[in-house]
Amino acid sequence: MVEEFGRLDVLINNAGVMPLSLLEKLQVDEWDRMFDVNIRDVLHGIAAALPVMKQQKSEQVINLSSIGGHAVSPTAAVYCATKFAVLAISEGLRQEVGGDIRVTVISPGVTTSELAESSSDSNARAVMREFRKVAIPAEAVARSIAYAVGQPADVSEIIIRPTASPY
């Protein structure tokens, strides 16, 4: 991108998988995948963008977490842990880069997507299908990203969720 456009203005880190299951199901492979995508891929995005942004001294990193980064629910403990990690990584980055690079976290609530279908646990998928009846469209999240980009540098966190959602 930098080679083509000469600069990097905004990184949108939107990495996420959500194979839900009760912890007692011991879905270790699914847990590993969530850690790889939801945490490591966010870190890799930061690693790719940060040197360029530090040189430019006026850019923005937007990390998408989840409402699951603010509250835990049954079957979602590992997913929520990864999204809590995104909040912690974002807060650490915000403190480290000071005013040179703006760090924004957006935490969507239940959103129309295929995320919950990735679980191997049929009961967890069924629960999420019911929960998703109040989902906001993905376009609402896209609008929140555009809103975040347009805000002054002192705005750092946004939660967007359906009004009918319990979380």
Side-chain angles (χ1 to χ4, degrees), residues 26-109:
L26 305 176
Q27 299 292 334
V28 176
D29 289 341
E30 291 181 355
W31 301 344
D32 289 343
R33 185 167 165 247
M34 278 190 279
F35 272 77
D36 285 344
V37 173
N38 298 5
I39 299 172
R40 285 189 182 95
D41 286 353
V42 167
L43 290 168
H44 287 270
I46 291 168
L50 195 55
V52 174
M53 290 183 164
K54 283 181 75 172
Q55 186 176 19
Q56 294 173 178
K57 294 186 179 182
S58 63
E59 312 317 331
Q60 184 175 16
V61 173
I62 299 176
N63 290 327
L64 274 86
S65 178
S66 168
I67 199 68
H70 299 267
V72 180
S73 59
T75 74
V78 177
Y79 173 77
C80 293
T82 66
K83 294 306 183 172
F84 271 92
V86 171
L87 291 174
I89 291 164
S90 301
E91 178 60 13
L93 180 61
R94 184 191 67 77
Q95 292 177 19
E96 289 176 16
V97 297
D100 290 341
I101 300 169
R102 183 163 51 137
V103 180
T104 305
V105 179
I106 299 177
S107 298

Side-chain angles (χ1 to χ4, degrees), residues 110-155:
V110 62
T111 305
T112 304
S113 76
E114 73 292 340
L115 271 179
E117 294 302 317
S118 66
S119 179
S120 63
D121 186 315
S122 59
N123 290 333
R125 283 195 315 271
V127 168
M128 279 308 294
R129 281 188 201 114
E130 185 63 28
F131 185 65
R132 288 187 173 278
K133 289 183 177 179
V134 298
I136 57 175
E139 293 81 9
V141 178
R143 286 190 304 271
S144 72
I145 293 169
Y147 175 81
V149 170
Q151 292 307 296
D154 58 355
V155 174

Side-chain angles (χ1 to χ4, degrees), residues 1-10 52 56 59:
M1 289 291 228
V2 175
E3 295 81 23
E4 186 175 345
F5 297 106
R7 57 183 299 108
L8 175 61
D9 295 317
V10 179
V52 174
Q56 294 173 178
E59 312 317 331

